[in-house]
């Protein structure tokens, strides 16, 4: 249900935590399509870790989804 | 970077990758520009961002102080994130606009009591573009797990949205091309009609060009029609998917607005091109008839001269 209100000041005292989420697209398209999934995944982690702005990198699966590496490829 | 992609291969890794990024305020150029326009002194800045990524769709998350104004910082993070990914030569990075989505998704975790019970589970637009969800604090046991679950719940439908944007780009490319060809066709017919009768070579060259352009035009009309049909089918599918998505159903109007497109009246365009074809054919027939007449006259003159000559000799 969506409602419009002008002020939510009255709720502030009950806020435990608040987050802003922004979502977007960033497709990595391998130049060599025969590259294996593990190599690609490791390269991605290495690439992200190579930046001094990246403090930490780790992996996490959504609840109920497999923990082992899975790669789904969708051709559009 | 290619932001007008029409075809994509989309990877989706499991597990997702979480990146903790520290971006100093001095490096948040877009945020600083925003600050120069903001009147409030009470701005909630952060230098800590989380990016959750599956190889195609990313989520930027930052904690906000609800009592202050804040700048998302996501555009700066997008720039940083893209520049990191672009350094690797194993892949090309492609992105489909809008990146990130214009809407801010704000998740507010509330202490559970009698007063908050009325609002927990509800959502609202504080202002256009700011969609707020009120959730019980109990669902936030682990922030990173919540972020990953959130991305998992939207990534498929969001990817479908971006796929649809790709299809829209394809339709728009055909439409723009058709409009361009149509203008070229008109000027080509003008050129053809202005060419002097005796300029045979130029006339035939222009006629050939016009023929090629007409056939290109018809092929673009077909491609445009097919792409438009495919787009409308995908938009229908997307609508259904969005309706069922717990988070994105509240953004369906905004997402579908991004897919609004100007349509060309294909029938009118086809009629117009056929008319141009007729003009060209008529012009060609007239010229050929004129040429034949002139040749007949010249032939008769030469014939009578030859007959006169032969008679005089005999």
């Amino acid at each position: 249900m969506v409602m419009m209100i002008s002020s939510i000041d009255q709720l502030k005292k009950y806020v435990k935590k608040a987050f802003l989420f922004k979502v977007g697209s960033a497709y990595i398209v391998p130049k060599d399509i025969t590259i294996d999934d593990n190599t690609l995944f490791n390269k991605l982690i290495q690439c992200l870790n190579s930046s001094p702005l990246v403090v930490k990198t780790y992996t996490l699966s959504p609840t109920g989804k497999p923990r082992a590496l899975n790669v789904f490829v969708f051709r559009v | 970077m290619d932001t007008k992609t029409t075809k994509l291969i989309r990877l989706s890794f499991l597990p997702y990758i979480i990146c903790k990024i520290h971006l100093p305020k001095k490096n948040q150029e877009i945020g600083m520009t925003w600050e120069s326009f903001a009147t409030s002194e009470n701005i909630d800045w952060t230098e800590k961002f989380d990016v959750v990524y599956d190889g195609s769709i990313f989520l930027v998350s930052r904690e906000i102080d609800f009592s202050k104004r804040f700048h998302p910082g996501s555009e700066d993070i997008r720039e940083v994130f893209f520049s990191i990914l672009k350094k690797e030569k194993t892949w090309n990075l492609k992105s489909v606009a809008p990146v990130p989505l214009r809407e801010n998704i704000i998740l507010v975790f509330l202490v559970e009591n009698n007063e908050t019970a009325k609002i927990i589970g509800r959502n609202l637009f504080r202002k256009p573009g700011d969609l707020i969800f009120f959730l019980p604090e109990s669902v936030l046991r682990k922030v990173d797990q919540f972020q990953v679950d959130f991305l998992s719940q939207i990534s498929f439908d969001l990817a479908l949205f971006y796929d649809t944007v790709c299809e829209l780009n394809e339709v728009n490319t055909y439409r723009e091309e058709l409009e361009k060809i149509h203008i070229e066709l008109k000027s080509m017919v003008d050129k053809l009609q202005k060419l002097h009768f005796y300029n045979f070579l130029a006339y035939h060259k222009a006629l050939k060009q016009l023929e090629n352009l007409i056939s290109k035009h018809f092929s673009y009309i077909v491609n445009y029609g097919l792409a438009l049909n495919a787009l409308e089918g995908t938009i229908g599918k997307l609508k259904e998917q969005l309706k069922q998505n717990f988070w994105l159903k509240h953004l369906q109007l905004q997402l579908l607005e991004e897919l609004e497109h100007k349509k060309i009246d294909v029938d009118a365009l086809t009629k117009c091109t056929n008319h141009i074809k007729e003009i060209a054919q008529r012009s060609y027939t007239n010229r050929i008839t004129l040429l034949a007449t002139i040749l007949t006259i010249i032939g008769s003159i030469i014939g009578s001269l030859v007959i006169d000559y032969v008679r005089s000799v005999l």
Side-chain angles (χ1 to χ4, degrees):
Chain A
M1 182 185 174
V2 179
M3 56 179 181
M4 296 289 291
I5 58 169
S6 55
S7 166
I8 47 172
D9 285 350
Q10 64 271 31
L11 282 172
K12 281 175 185 166
K13 57 183 171 179
Y14 299 120
V15 175
K16 187 80 180 173
K17 265 185 191 298
F19 293 91
L20 168 72
F21 283 4
K22 293 286 278 187
V23 285
S25 66
Y27 298 79
I28 53 165
V29 181
K31 288 178 185 167
D32 174 11
I33 52 163
T34 61
I35 189 167
D36 78 280
D37 303 342
N38 273 305
T39 311
L40 191 63
F41 192 72
N42 291 338
K43 277 205 181 280
L44 184 55
I45 303 260
Q46 270 172 25
C47 169
L48 294 167
N49 279 330
S50 69
S51 168
L53 296 171
V54 175
V55 182
K56 191 180 171 190
T57 305
Y58 61 101
T59 62
L60 193 62
S61 285
T63 310
K65 298 268 173 77
R67 287 175 187 276
L69 179 66
N70 266 285
V71 185
F72 303 96
V73 182
F74 303 89
R75 288 173 196 277
V76 182
Chain B
M1 188 171 43
D2 183 3
T3 54
K4 221 181 169 186
T5 308
T6 51
K7 298 281 173 201
L8 285 173
I9 292 175
R10 178 159 54 85
L11 300 176
S12 180
F13 288 114
L14 261 184
Y16 295 163
I17 299 169
I18 299 179
C19 267
K20 302 272 180 194
I21 296 180
H22 179 261
L23 187 64
K25 186 184 167 189
K26 64 178 169 55
N27 294 0
Q28 296 182 37
E29 287 171 22
I30 299 168
M32 301 283 257
T33 311
W34 173 83
E35 189 187 29
S36 63
F37 289 103
T39 49
S40 168
E41 291 293 310
N42 201 18
I43 296 172
D44 173 31
W45 279 96
T46 187
E47 298 188 335
K48 289 179 186 171
F49 298 89
D50 295 340
V51 177
V52 186
Y53 185 46
D54 76 346
S56 298
I57 302 290
F58 67 90
L59 161 77
V60 179
S61 162
R62 60 155 292 191
E63 196 168 343
I64 53 170
D65 180 340
F66 218 52
S67 60
K68 293 180 182 174
R69 292 191 67 188
F70 58 87
H71 180 259
S74 46
E75 287 86 356
D76 286 302
I77 289 294
R78 173 195 62 201
E79 296 306 310
V80 167
F81 189 56
F82 283 9
S83 73
I84 298 171
L85 291 175
K86 274 195 268 184
K87 278 185 202 156
E88 176 57 52
K89 303 291 172 213
T90 313
W91 54 71
N92 289 318
L93 180 69
K94 292 183 184 280
S95 186
V96 183
V99 188
L101 289 188
R102 291 172 229 284
E103 288 69 32
N104 294 325
I105 301 168
I106 299 165
L107 301 160
V108 181
F109 297 91
L110 297 171
V111 172
E112 290 164 74
N113 59 31
N114 287 341
E115 283 183 72
T116 58
K118 292 173 205 158
I119 190 111
I120 283 174
R122 302 179 84 174
N123 54 68
L124 60 92
F125 276 99
R126 179 165 57 176
K127 58 178 184 178
D130 268 3
L131 175 61
I132 308 176
F133 289 94
F134 294 102
L135 302 163
E137 61 170 320
S138 57
V139 298
L140 192 71
R141 286 190 198 96
K142 278 185 161 185
V143 175
D144 54 2
Q145 189 64 57
F146 187 87
Q147 292 165 339
V148 164
D149 288 345
F150 181 90
L151 184 62
S152 155
Q153 286 159 23
I154 64 157
S155 64
F156 186 83
D157 294 336
L158 194 61
L160 180 62
F161 164 73
Y162 280 119
D163 293 347
T164 318
V165 174
C166 289
E167 287 190 20
L168 174 68
N169 289 342
E170 195 176 357
V171 168
N172 284 340
T173 306
Y174 283 130
R175 183 177 52 77
E176 284 161 20
E177 203 57 38
L178 266 174
E179 284 168 350
K180 232 187 281 171
I181 297 174
H182 199 65
I183 293 167
E184 261 182 80
L185 269 175
K186 280 183 193 163
S187 71
M188 189 69 85
V189 169
D190 285 346
K191 186 183 159 189
L192 205 68
Q193 286 181 324
K194 279 177 196 159
L195 274 177
H196 287 292
F197 164 72
Y198 51 80
N199 207 345
F200 297 112
L201 284 177
Y203 181 80
H204 277 276
K205 196 178 162 193
L207 200 64
K208 191 77 198 156
Q209 282 174 339
L210 184 69
E211 251 177 57
N212 290 340
L213 212 53
I214 288 174
S215 97
K216 191 175 169 189
H217 194 247
F218 280 122
S219 117
Y220 268 88
I221 285 177
V222 172
N223 289 337
Y224 171 77
L226 290 173
L228 189 66
N229 275 348
L231 172 69
E232 285 174 351
T234 316
I235 289 178
K237 191 177 157 195
L238 179 69
K239 272 184 193 169
E240 288 307 308
Q241 293 281 118
L242 291 177
K243 259 187 225 167
Q244 292 165 32
N245 190 296
F246 179 81
W247 304 103
L248 295 179
K249 67 181 171 193
H250 306 293
L251 291 176
Q252 34 177 331
L253 284 180
Q254 290 78 356
L255 293 178
L256 293 172
E257 218 168 79
E258 299 279 354
L259 298 168
E260 277 176 10
H261 50 284
K262 198 171 101 184
K263 276 188 206 166
I264 290 184
D265 185 345
V266 175
D267 287 344
L269 208 62
T270 310
K271 270 183 201 162
C272 191
T273 312
N274 281 332
H275 182 62
I276 288 173
K277 209 172 157 184
E278 274 169 29
I279 293 175
Q281 275 168 346
R282 214 179 304 138
S283 150
Y284 180 74
T285 314
N286 289 347
R287 278 176 191 241
I288 289 292
T289 313
L290 188 59
L291 186 66
T293 313
I294 290 169
L295 288 176
T296 312
I297 293 168
I298 293 172
S300 321
I301 293 169
I302 293 172
S304 55
L305 285 175
V306 170
I307 291 169
D308 286 349
Y309 175 73
V310 172
R311 274 185 190 158
S312 67
V313 172
L314 294 173

